[in-house]
Amino acid sequence: MTSLKTLMAGALAALTLAGCAATPETSGPSVVSYDHGALDTLLELGVGDRVLAVPQQGLPDYLSDLAGRLPDAGSLKEPDLDTLAWLDPELVIMTGRQGEAIDDVRAMTRVKELATPKGDYREAITERVQDLAGLYGVQDRAGEALASLWQYVDRQKNRLADAGTITVVTHNDGHFSLRDEAVVYDLLALTPAPVPDTVEPIHRGTRTFYPVGLDTLAGMAPDVLLVVDRSAAIGAEPLDAGWLRDALPDGTRMVVLDPGLWYLSGGGLMSVRLQVGEVVNAVQ
């Protein structure tokens, strides 16, 4: 079984090769990204020389080497406006996580807002990558990177044809909610465990949650339970994995996924590849 560390090393090696393929002087805007998937896409496309800073607080492990080389632009929830003013980037990539700070940054410079990918996930990621590539005139390079990514995904999908039922949940402070994870159910076409009719949605603004208790998870009895630990990702008390494992049937395998990769990142050339690799390791 390949470890996540090995997968990350392979992805970083691919990033290095992409960087080596870049032209000595990349054209396109200087940038700070508050979307880690967009950031890893820019790096993979070989335009990392245009990145001025990174939000170091909560930076996922697979991007941690950037913290030693670039200034700190704050966190995903609280961008460092003073640093942005000092660096004066030509473009700042932002998401709904930054809330009202988007307007503050827009008063300084150009902002590109990224929404959560919707619809067919492969098409959404392809569109996002090509959109970012268009900012730097590297659409051909993006096409090659996407072709490589989808070939990899398809190979892994074929390997998991008999993986059984998979349930994905988000953990938050001892509570769980079902997670409709596109990497698992769309890209890899894995089969979800049946959800009881007693599970009802809760709507909070534009978001919908499906809370589930331990008894419900045990009754669903998936072959594999994948956990995205939000608490760990944001620096709160992480999940007690032993406590959860003891509550599940003997036939269910439980795997806690890399929290930074799954809760704070995703949707990028590197992050999607890493997520697929981690799912493969978890369910095989």
Side-chain angles (χ1 to χ4, degrees), residues 5 16 23 26 35 47 65 81 90 106 124 126 137 139 143 189 195-196 214 223 225 232 251 274 276:
K5 183 176 180 181
T16 301
T23 55
T26 305
D35 181 275
V47 297
D65 66 308
L81 300 181
E90 295 167 311
R106 187 176 280 115
T126 296
Q139 293 93 326
V195 179
L214 293 182
D223 292 302
L225 177 67
L274 288 171
V276 168

Side-chain angles (χ1 to χ4, degrees), residues 63-193:
L63 295 172
S64 60
D65 66 308
L66 298 176
R69 299 193 281 111
L70 295 172
D72 185 4
S75 71
L76 296 186
K77 296 287 285 187
E78 297 182 0
D80 188 328
L81 300 181
D82 291 337
T83 295
L84 290 178
W86 168 60
L87 290 170
D88 192 23
E90 295 167 311
L91 175 68
V92 177
I93 299 174
M94 307 189 80
T95 73
R97 270 193 170 112
Q98 287 78 60
E100 295 179 358
I102 294 177
D103 292 332
D104 295 328
V105 176
R106 187 176 280 115
M108 299 179 185
T109 189
R110 176 186 172 194
V111 169
K112 183 177 182 63
E113 288 190 61
L114 295 183
T116 301
K118 296 180 179 179
D120 183 276
Y121 197 62
R122 182 181 296 222
E123 291 181 2
I125 297 304
T126 296
E127 181 178 348
R128 172 179 287 198
V129 169
Q130 286 290 8
D131 183 35
L132 292 170
L135 297 172
Y136 299 91
V138 291
Q139 293 93 326
D140 289 346
R141 193 178 303 161
E144 294 172 0
L146 285 164
S148 175
L149 173 63
W150 300 139
Q151 288 169 7
Y152 170 75
V153 170
D154 289 340
R155 288 197 303 271
Q156 307 315 309
K157 178 180 176 180
N158 291 334
R159 291 174 60 187
L160 301 181
D162 300 318
T165 57
I166 313 295
T167 294
V168 188
V169 295
T170 300
H171 166 258
N172 183 31
D173 192 26
H175 303 284
F176 301 93
S177 60
L178 297 178
R179 186 178 179 98
D180 186 14
E181 181 52 61
V183 171
V184 174
Y185 301 121
D186 192 344
L187 292 187
L188 295 174
L190 293 171
T191 303

Side-chain angles (χ1 to χ4, degrees), residues 198-257:
T198 54
V199 177
E200 297 182 353
I202 293 178
H203 303 285
R204 295 177 184 169
T206 60
R207 297 183 297 173
T208 301
F209 300 88
Y210 290 83
V212 287
L214 293 182
D215 290 345
T216 299
L217 286 175
M220 291 171 64
D223 292 302
V224 181
L225 177 67
L226 302 177
V227 182
V228 177
D229 191 356
R230 176 187 183 275
S231 295
I234 64 173
E237 185 70 25
L239 170 69
D240 182 342
W243 164 71
L244 175 57
R245 189 175 290 108
D246 290 343
L248 298 172
D250 291 340
T252 295
R253 184 192 320 156
M254 190 270 290
V255 178
V256 179
L257 300 172

